[in-house]
Amino acid sequence: DQQVKQNSPSLSVQEGRISILNCDYTNSMFDYFLWYKKYPAEGPTFLISISSIKDKNEDGRFTVFLNKSAKHLSLHIVPSQPGDSAVYFCAASATGGTSYGKLTFGQGTILTVHP
Amino acid sequence: EAGVTQFPSHSVIEKGQTVTLRCDPISGHDNLYWYRRVMGKEIKFLLHFVKESKQDESGMPNNRFLAERTGGTYSTLKVQPAELEDSGVYFCASTPLGRGPDYGYTFGSGTRLTVV
């Protein structure tokens, strides 16, 4: 039973345009959401997070939007750069759970930004 | 500050053999997590240490997997005996105690385990 889903395995975008990565979740106990970026042969790197009490969080070129009623979040990258090409993972945490800080990840979306 | 260090980076073993993976967290990070990614799928939680104690081991697949964290410093994950389905990339991550869930983990580069 996959509680966090990234339904698009891949996304291809032109440099300078917007990249929109989507994520859906099913567990209503999740109250924190995070995005990680992963390059080949490296571990995931934390990008940005959002609490369930907010609907938007912005950090430079990265903005995460949360639609709690739809159990959906998205990561916007504007403008996209070739160096953004990586696998992006959505992750969620339930602070009321047995393991504070335990993350449930989606399958990842491969983003390719073309020059 | 040194990052999270994992070794070996790669390991190829035969089915039935034993393998031990090691993780050195960032110094002072009391939370240590093990995760695994199998065949390009999602990254799955295995277990969580707080210092030397297992806080949550609900993600451990079966009793062929044994994790330890001696003295609350480095951690080892032993697979004995290894099966083909244990192949994947094993990631370790650490965070300081008391940080909220919105505080991103620092992950190691992972150990790619191949069981043949």
Side-chain angles (χ1 to χ4, degrees), chain B residues 51-97:
Chain B
K51 298 185 181 179
E52 68 276 4
S53 299
K54 291 176 186 174
Q55 180 75 12
D56 181 353
E57 51 184 332
S58 62
M60 294 288 264
N62 49 61
N63 59 11
R64 295 185 294 102
F65 288 75
L66 174 64
E68 294 180 323
R69 191 179 182 192
T70 308
T73 55
Y74 70 91
S75 175
T76 57
L77 181 64
K78 181 192 284 189
V79 185
Q80 178 183 31
E83 297 288 344
L84 298 178
E85 64 265 24
D86 301 332
S87 296
V89 182
Y90 290 76
F91 292 106
C92 175
S94 71
T95 64
L97 204 59

